[in-house]
Amino acid sequence: LDNDGLNTVLEYGFAREPKSAETADSYTAAIVNDGGTDYFGMTFRRQKNALDLTYLVEVSPDLLTWTAATTLVGAPVDNGDGTENVTIRNSVPVSGQSRSFVRVGMVIGP
């Protein structure tokens, strides 16, 4: 609705205003350190305790084959506004890959 490139489900899931183009990112792909090892991961803002959404982080070495990433890094950070920031990482360390692509999506339903 606001021409910022996110559909209504993504706007809801990232707790953004669907009628106002926001400039702040709701997600960031980065190398994250977990237990002394570096992994490709994704940090994103999500609705806290959303029972009507399923969030999915996936990684790919080639943009063709996607694998779910499910390992939570640390505890979710409560933003105090009904949202929280979470970081999910790949299961394969950075040292075992030449490159990696990460994406986050969501679907309505558990």
Side-chain angles (χ1 to χ4, degrees):
L1 296 175
D2 57 13
N3 294 315
D4 66 1
L6 298 178
N7 66 34
T8 305
V9 173
L10 292 173
E11 295 270 5
Y12 169 68
F14 290 137
R16 295 172 61 113
E17 175 54 51
K19 295 181 181 177
S20 175
E22 297 167 285
T23 57
D25 288 332
S26 298
Y27 49 90
T28 304
I31 294 176
V32 297
N33 188 280
D34 189 19
T37 303
D38 290 335
Y39 299 89
F40 290 107
M42 177 75 71
T43 299
F44 60 96
R45 180 179 175 197
R46 70 179 181 189
Q47 296 281 356
K48 190 173 179 182
N49 301 320
L51 301 176
D52 55 350
L53 287 178
T54 300
Y55 292 83
L56 178 63
V57 176
E58 296 177 304
V59 294
S60 173
D62 56 12
L63 294 173
L64 298 173
T65 305
W66 293 91
T67 304
T70 59
T71 303
L72 181 66
V73 178
V77 176
D78 191 332
N79 294 317
D81 62 358
T83 68
E84 60 191 4
N85 288 352
V86 295
T87 300
I88 307 291
R89 69 163 174 83
N90 192 4
S91 60
V92 179
V94 169
S95 62
Q97 304 174 57
S98 60
R99 65 180 177 177
S100 186
F101 301 91
V102 184
R103 67 184 181 187
V104 59
M106 56 200 76
V107 294
I108 297 175

